[in-house]
Amino acid sequence: MLIEHLDPVASSLFSLLAIASLLLAFVMLGSGWLKNYLYAFAAESWVIAIISAASGFYGHYPELYVIAVLTWLFRGMLLPYLIWRIIHRLDVNREIHVILQPSMSLVIGALFVMFALAVSNRVATVFHLQLTVAVLALTVMLSMKLIGFLMLAVRHEAISQILGLLVLENGIFLGSQVLVPGMPLLIEMVILFDLLIVVVCFGVLVRYLKTHAGTTSSLDLKRLVG
């Protein structure tokens, strides 16, 4: 496993990048402005692209350089651009219907991180992964998944929900790059193209809802509109 052979400098680099990804997820959780979500997601994707390149360098996986470039292009540039076009055309700037205030969301997010840390320590003990960077990678992966679920649950604006889904997927992708970086290149590319198709289909759906139902908030959708 790559993380078992990292020197202290490389371990510190992976730890710093993983923590930066988690902090950017908290930026999304603590803001009510959709463009802030988008900028934080793009920055988070760039950090994950750097993690992929670093995994390729330290683990001698040349295919991960391709993954890093594709991640930067698709997750860091193309997907944010497509979502920005949706925001711009629909003229939706922020969450209107808020279940939890950003401050309460941050508190719950912090509790999720503590829970993820406890679970990661337990998993690391069972699988004899006592390295700090392994525990940290597991913690960040689980935390980002829980934060993505939280965004899906407490945000009603459709654009926030798709970004929550992308954060959740970013967490899985980050964990795989650190813990099992040798995943086949084809699988990684299929995942990236799946995300592109999801966002494009979602954009068509949101514009349809805006035109026929007059809203993009799931809270206002009481019935199916045909």
Side-chain angles (χ1 to χ4, degrees):
M1 185 178 290
L2 169 64
I3 55 177
E4 294 177 344
H5 306 288
L6 292 177
D7 57 47
V9 175
S11 296
S12 300
L13 174 63
F14 277 94
S15 299
L16 179 64
L17 292 172
I19 292 171
S21 298
L22 184 58
L23 289 177
L24 287 167
F26 270 92
V27 170
M28 299 176 70
L29 197 58
S31 176
W33 295 92
L34 298 180
K35 287 185 177 178
N36 289 349
Y37 299 169
L38 193 57
Y39 296 147
F41 169 74
E44 185 179 79
S45 299
W46 296 340
V47 172
I48 293 176
I50 296 172
I51 290 176
S52 296
S55 297
F57 177 76
Y58 286 105
H60 305 291
Y61 298 106
E63 67 271 19
L64 288 185
Y65 294 120
V66 179
I67 293 297
V69 173
L70 290 176
T71 301
W72 182 75
L73 287 175
F74 278 82
R75 294 173 186 265
M77 301 293 289
L78 184 57
L79 295 184
Y81 172 70
L82 292 175
I83 297 174
W84 177 84
R85 285 187 59 185
I86 296 171
I87 294 173
H88 181 69
R89 291 188 177 185
L90 299 181
D91 194 25
V92 179
N93 295 313
R94 62 172 302 160
E95 288 282 343
I96 304 298
H97 306 288
V98 179
I99 294 179
L100 289 177
Q101 293 298 325
S103 56
M104 183 55 68
S105 298
L106 289 174
V107 171
I108 295 176
L111 294 175
F112 281 163
V113 173
M114 294 172 64
F115 173 75
L117 178 61
V119 172
S120 300
N121 274 317
R122 180 68 176 170
V123 171
T125 302
V126 171
F127 289 97
H128 306 291
L129 296 173
Q130 301 301 329
L131 297 172
T132 303
V133 66
V135 177
L136 181 61
L138 281 170
T139 302
V140 172
M141 179 178 69
L142 293 175
S143 299
M144 288 175 63
K145 289 175 67 175
L146 291 172
I147 288 172
F149 278 125
L150 181 61
M151 290 181 65
L152 286 170
V154 303
R155 302 285 168 83
H156 286 294
E157 194 60 48
I159 296 169
S160 302
Q161 292 179 335
I162 188 62
L163 285 168
L165 181 65
L166 293 175
V167 169
L168 188 155
E169 208 281 331
N170 261 359
I172 299 172
F173 196 73
L174 183 149
S176 70
Q177 294 303 300
V178 176
L179 298 173
V180 284
M183 286 179 65
L185 176 63
L186 182 60
I187 295 177
E188 303 276 11
M189 292 180 67
V190 168
I191 293 173
L192 289 174
F193 281 107
D194 279 349
L195 283 179
L196 177 61
I197 292 171
V198 166
V199 171
V200 171
C201 292
F202 177 80
V204 174
L205 176 63
V206 169
R207 292 181 64 183
Y208 181 85
L209 287 174
K210 182 69 174 179
T211 302
H212 292 82
T215 181
T216 57
S217 171
S218 58
L219 196 63
D220 294 333
L221 299 177
K222 304 297 184 185
R223 61 184 176 85
L224 291 176
V225 178

